Amino acid sequence: MNRFPKSLALIAGLFSALGFAPLDWWPLTLACLAILLHLVFEAQDLRKALARGYWFGVGHFAVGLNWIAGAFQYQDTMPKWLGWIAVALLSLYLAIYPAMAAGLAWRWGRSKPAEFILFFAAAWIVTEYLRAAMFTGFAWNPLSVVVIPVAGVAQYFAPGIGTYGLSGLLVLVAGGLAHLVPGWIRRVKTSYHSVEGEWVTLVIWPFVAAFTGIFVFFSMGYVMGSPQESHGPLIRVVQPNIGQQDKHVKAFDKINFEKLAGLTGVPGREPRLILWPEAAVPDFLEEEEWARERLARLIGPRDMLVTGGVALVEDKEGYVIAARNSTFVLTPGADIIARYDKAHLVPYGEYLPMRPVLSALGLSRLVPGDLDFWPGPGPQSTGVPGFGRMGVQICYEIIFSGHVIDRNNRPDFLFNPSNDAWFGPWGPPQHLAQARLRAIEEGIPVVRSTPTGISAVIDADGNLLHHLPYRKAGFIETHLPPPHPPTLFARYGNILSLGFAFFLGALGIALGRFRR
């Protein structure tokens, strides 16, 4: 394993990403992570440890983010092959974070395997958190999302230590696998020259694992429950199967609207909250009264409609200078009673950083149009009469752990309108898995509506109650599942994840001093 360590780290990184959706081969991810731990521990110096972590990260992100290349298929002003260049460049940047984790673990824990594993887990938590925060953040595919298909694991731990803390636990598990690698076992045996040393190997490491488990047990927010029948308000989630290639073509406006209208259905005895996807309508609802009236005619006298659209930003002279990616709550009387503006925008997707420079090079943002989007103020809860308090996170925003709800005005459910039509067969299931993780962390149901899938209703335990497959038109009509009481994570957020990292690091230091 040590003859070609960087090549092996790259290959391990490539295969590790197969644990994410849609394949969900999570045992392979743990095995590849164990290989990384072994390679870094065996590094002769810090530079080699950093390099092994870096090349693992390059492979890990290149495969996991391959769906980004698909977005360039819908932007005529830039060549399609540029999408793969974007994947490569983004992977080369994101690989810095696994490299940092590898370097920190090698620097502080290289003397003994147990300390090294603890430091690596702590460093992974911190660097994954930093990846979600630095330079606007890119929190896609945290390591912990691979265990979403494993019943009970995320539900048991994420409400207490969050997404990044759960990622650290997976590193500990991978460390246990790496401890079984023959080369490592030989090194352990030669590291101790007394009966006391062998006793430490056999007893202290299980103690560390048990102590970690006890910490997590007392920090968790609740024990997972089974899906229960809901008697909440009636919702209708619409998925029209409108492809990205047809979304902004004027000739398709009428066809697209008829799809949405048909799937909205007819009013019944029970009031309905009708949920349409991100940017479902091309009209400017605040300025165009006829557009609001057209939508209002589709819903019953006690229904409410929530739809994605665009809000315009004007300067003092009345000139349009920007736009906002928004959702609107519309009444049967054609009144807009609430609007949420997306706060966490996608760089190069919804706005072009350093526009004068990059536009001169022939680059443009991926969303069509000449105006950049401006961000909104952040998570807000909106009271929807008859349906409770609704929080909204538009598309990409749902991936940011600890930043999806207003903690001072906790919503009853979270609506995640999205447009996954850009991202091929890999992006939508990955997006869905991350939405499930938010439901588990916060203890609230999440409802997703997308043009092409995967639309879903997710309960407060992260269970997938209903969903519409990718590339299939349809609707979901069901009662909204109830929220849980606030979890520990819902109260304190990522301070718990970082606290768990501090605990693991302190445990590593204490274990090293005990041995000396």
Side-chain angles (χ1 to χ4, degrees), residues 316-337:
K316 294 180 179 179
E317 286 74 33
Y319 293 102
V320 177
I321 56 174
R324 297 189 191 275
N325 188 350
S326 306
T327 57
F328 303 88
V329 181
L330 192 72
T331 70
D335 296 319
I336 295 173
I337 62 170

Side-chain angles (χ1 to χ4, degrees), residues 120-140:
F120 203 113
W124 191 280
I125 293 170
V126 173
T127 55
E128 200 168 76
Y129 173 81
L130 290 175
R131 173 162 72 88
M134 299 291 289
F135 309 112
T136 78
F138 190 76
W140 196 275

